[in-house]
Amino acid sequence: MIEARHLHKRFGAVTAVHDVSLTAVDGRITGLLGPNGAGKSTTLRMLYTVLRPDGGDAFIDGISASAQSLEARRRMGVLPHGAGVYPHLTARENILYFGELHGLTGTECNRRAAELIDLLEMADFADRNAKGFSQGQRLKTALARALVHDPKNILLDEPTNGLDVMAVRTLRALLLKLKAAGRCILLSSHVMQEVAALCDEVIVIAGGNVVADGTPDELRARAGTTDLEEAFIRFLEPAGRP
Amino acid sequence: MRPLLTVLRKELRENLRDRRTFVSALLIGTVLMPLLVGLLVNLTVRRGQSQDNKPVSLAVVHGERAPGLLAQLRQYRIDVITVDLDDAAARDAVRQQQRRIVLAIADNYASQLAQGQPAPVLLYSDSSDVAGASDVGRVRAVLGRVSSETARLRLMARGVDPTVLSAIAVQDVDVATPTSRSVLILGTLTYIILLTMLMGGLHVTLDATAGERERGSLESLLTVPVPREQLIYGKILAACVFMVLSLTLNVCAMALALRYVGLENLGMNVNLNLPTILKLIASCAPLAPLGASLMTIVAAFTRSYREAQTYVGLVLLIPTLPLIFANTLGLRPTVWLMMVPSLSQHFLVTGLLRAEPVAPLYAALSVGVSLLLGVAAAYGAGRLYHREALLG
C-alpha cells in the first residue's frame, strides 16, 4: 500500500507539487493522470525516495519514506521515467546487479532473474549486451530489474512512453498479472486511453494538486459525460486558472 | 560493505568490456607513453653522441689572411670551409641558416698580429638557433684557446712568466653521477607516470557518474536499498583499481622501453629493476583515491557527459604541479612539501630514479597524507551525491 499525505515540493522559486495526498491499495492498479508538468514525476520521485518532500510525507506499507527510506525502498520496485540500462552488461547481468544490490544471494538471485526473463519473454536477448537493444527490450530489462526482489509495491513513471503496440500489450498483461498476485501498482501517464484501459483507480493531478480521484466510471459520472477524455479536460480547466 | 563490492565488481566488469576504457586506461599507458618516452630518450642519446663526435663546420671569409689560425682551428677538429661573402651576405647566410657560423678575418688581421696588437675577426652566429648553440660554443672556445696560447708565447718572448695572467685557477668538479645525470633526461617521467595513472581512471569515473545519469540508469540505481555513499565509494574504488592497473602497466612498460633505448651509451644507468618498479608503484598509487574522488566531485556538478569530460579533464592538470614548482623553482623535499600530493610523489619518484635512499619519514608522509586527503575527498563526494540536483 502506498500513501501520500500532503506532499509538497519546491525547486527554488518554482513549486512543483503543492499538496498531493493519495492512496494506492494492494491488488489494484492506480493511475496518476495529468498533463505534462502537472507534478506526476515529482510526486512519484518523492514516493520512491529519490526526492525529499519539503512538506508532508509518504508511507510505503506504513513505513515513512523520509524517515526510513532504506526500509521503504526495500518494499518498492521502481521504473523511473526513461530508465536506461547498462550497455556493456547483458540483460541478465543488468537484472543480477540489482538483485545483488537488493541483498539477494547468489542462487536466489539467479533463480529470480531466470523467472523474470521467462515471464517477460526475454529469452532470445537475455544474454546479449544491452548496447543494441530496442526500446522494448530496454524497457523489459529495466522492468525485470525493478521487479527482481519481488516487491509488494510497484511504481512506474510513464512506462508506455515510446513503446510500440506489442510492447504495450506485454506490459499491460504483466501489470494485470501482478495485480492478480495482490501487488499494489501505481503508474503515471498523460494518456487517457491507457489509464482507462488499465487502472482501477484514477487520480487526476494538475498544477501540483489533486483535482479529482475515483474509478474511471465515477470520474465520468462526476463530470457528467460518458467520454473520459472530456471528463479529464473538465477536471483540468479550473486548475489551469491562476 | 557488500553492496560496495557489488558496485565495484559491476563497474570493473562493465568497463573491461568498454573500448574507451581500454584505450584510456591500458593502451595509452602501456604502449603510447613508453613509446613516446623511448623515442624522446633515444633521440637525445643520439644527438648527444653525434654532437661529441661530429666535427664542427665553420665558414671562413678571407681565410688567406690568417693561414696560421686556420691550421690551428683544424687541429681542434673544426672543418674550415673557405667562402667569399661580404658583411651583408654573411649576415644573410647565417640568418637564413645556410651557414651556422661564419668567421670573417679582418683585412688588418695580419698586420695587427705582427705588431702584437689584438687581431680583429668577426664571428657571425644566431643566438636564437638553439640547436647550433653548442657548435658556436666550441668555435668560440677554440678561438679563445688559440688567442691565449698566442698571448702566452708573446709574454714568454718578452721574458715574462705567462702565469701572471692567471689570477684565479678554476678547476671544475662535476659531481653528477651517471645515474643522476640521466634523471635530467628523465625529468618528465614523474609527470608521465602520474598523468597515465589518473587517465586510467578518467573514463571509469565519467561513465560511473555523468554517463550513468545521461543513460538514465542513475535514478533506478538510487532506488535500491543501499546508502548513496556506498554506491559512490564503490565507483571511486573501481576508478582506483583502473588507475593502479594503468600505473602498473605503464611503469613496467617504461622500464622495458628504457632498457632498449641505449642509455648506457651516454654512460647512464637507470636502474629499473623489480624492487624499484614496485617502489615506484607504491609511491604513486596513494594518489589514486584523491584523483578518483576529485574527478567524481567535479562530475557531480556537471549536467552532461560532455561537460563532465571537459571539467574532469582539469583534474589531469594535478601532475603538472611538480613540473611547474619543483623543476622551475628547484625545490628540495622538506617535511612540509612531502605533505603536498603530487609534489611528494614527484620527489619520491625522482629519488628512486636517482637511486638515492628515501627518508622513511618522507615516504610515510607522502603516502599517509595523500591517502588521508583521498579518504576526505571520497567522503566529500559521498556527501555531494545526496544533492537532488544530481538527478538533472
Side-chain angles (χ1 to χ4, degrees), chain B residues 235-353:
Chain B
K235 287 166 183 289
I236 290 175
L237 212 57
C240 290
V241 170
F242 274 101
M243 283 184 181
V244 174
L245 184 71
S246 181
L247 167 72
T248 307
L249 290 172
N250 176 247
V251 172
C252 291
M254 211 80 104
L256 206 67
L258 288 179
R259 200 162 284 181
Y260 289 103
V261 291
L263 279 178
E264 61 283 354
N265 292 341
L266 282 182
M268 291 176 180
N269 166 36
V270 176
N271 199 7
L272 282 173
N273 53 13
L274 189 65
T276 313
I277 289 175
L278 291 178
K279 280 183 202 159
L280 280 174
I281 295 169
S283 312
C284 295
L287 189 63
L290 183 60
S293 302
L294 286 180
M295 287 181 186
T296 308
I297 288 174
V298 174
F301 287 105
T302 58
R303 284 168 200 283
S304 68
Y305 190 87
R306 272 178 171 275
E307 204 185 344
Q309 236 171 351
T310 311
Y311 290 112
V312 170
L314 291 178
V315 178
L316 293 181
L317 291 179
I318 290 176
T320 57
L321 274 177
L323 272 192
I324 297 168
F325 291 105
N327 283 9
T328 356
L329 298 179
L331 293 178
R332 303 284 299 161
T334 63
V335 168
W336 289 108
L337 290 180
M338 288 313 278
M339 291 190 197
V340 182
S342 169
L343 197 57
S344 71
Q345 274 81 24
H346 169 80
F347 288 137
L348 288 185
V349 170
T350 16
L352 282 167
L353 290 176

Side-chain angles (χ1 to χ4, degrees), chain B residues 6 32 51 64 109 184 188 201 204 207 212 214 218 239 246-247 259-261 320-321 372:
Chain B
T6 303
L32 244 49
Q51 268 176 358
E64 75 283 352
Y109 179 90
L184 293 176
T188 47
V204 183
D207 193 65
E212 178 132 46
E214 199 150 293
L218 181 64
S246 181
L247 167 72
R259 200 162 284 181
Y260 289 103
V261 291
T320 57
L321 274 177
L372 211 66

Side-chain angles (χ1 to χ4, degrees), chain A residues 3-216:
Chain A
E3 248 188 299
R5 287 185 204 153
H6 304 293
L7 285 177
H8 181 80
K9 183 71 190 174
R10 281 184 308 272
F11 297 108
V14 182
T15 304
V17 171
H18 272 285
D19 182 1
V20 168
S21 299
L22 61 85
T23 307
V25 294
D26 294 350
R28 285 173 91 77
I29 300 178
T30 307
L32 213 51
L33 185 64
N36 292 328
K40 301 186 297 289
S41 283
T42 307
T43 302
L44 282 177
R45 280 175 158 185
M46 284 189 277
L47 293 176
Y48 60 73
T49 76
V50 299
L51 288 185
R52 228 168 229 291
D54 293 322
D57 200 355
F59 297 89
I60 314 299
D61 293 338
I63 289 162
S64 160
S66 51
Q68 290 175 274
S69 64
L70 288 190
E71 197 46 51
R73 277 183 227 165
R74 256 182 253 287
R75 292 159 191 273
M76 282 186 283
V78 180
L79 183 74
H81 181 61
V85 295
Y86 300 106
H88 297 285
L89 297 185
T90 67
R92 192 187 301 274
E93 286 165 344
N94 266 286
I95 303 167
L96 290 175
Y97 178 44
F98 272 61
E100 281 177 51
L101 288 175
H102 272 286
L104 301 186
T105 52
T107 44
E108 194 191 352
C109 204
N110 284 324
R111 186 187 56 77
R112 207 33 215 159
E115 236 174 66
L116 286 162
I117 285 166
D118 196 40
L119 184 71
L120 286 161
E121 294 158 9
M122 298 168 62
D124 51 332
F125 62 89
D127 295 301
R128 260 178 31 209
N129 268 10
K131 203 170 186 179
F133 278 11
S134 71
Q135 200 146 359
Q137 291 169 327
R138 268 209 301 278
L139 177 94
K140 282 182 176 181
T141 309
L143 198 56
R145 208 171 58 180
L147 299 176
V148 66
H149 55 300
D150 197 10
K152 278 266 180 308
N153 304 281
I154 297 152
L155 294 88
L156 310 98
D157 194 0
E158 307 259 3
T160 55
N161 248 15
L163 291 187
D164 63 20
V165 192
M166 288 309 293
V168 171
R169 263 197 165 182
T170 319
L171 180 69
R172 269 188 207 158
L174 175 76
L175 291 181
L176 290 173
K177 228 182 260 183
L178 290 167
K179 168 187 156 183
R183 302 286 179 266
C184 169
I185 299 163
L186 178 62
L187 63 88
S188 77
S189 176
H190 60 269
V191 184
M192 210 82 38
Q193 291 80 354
E194 182 179 295
V195 171
L198 200 59
C199 297
D200 308 298
E201 300 279 341
V202 180
I203 295 155
V204 185
I205 290 193
N209 287 302
V210 176
V211 292
D213 63 347
T215 64

Side-chain angles (χ1 to χ4, degrees), chain B residues 39-61:
Chain B
L39 204 71
L40 192 81
V41 173
N42 210 357
L43 279 177
T44 319
V45 169
R46 284 228 195 121
R47 234 192 58 166
Q49 279 174 326
S50 58
Q51 268 176 358
D52 287 350
N53 302 335
K54 208 176 64 185
V56 178
S57 80
L58 175 69
V60 180
V61 184

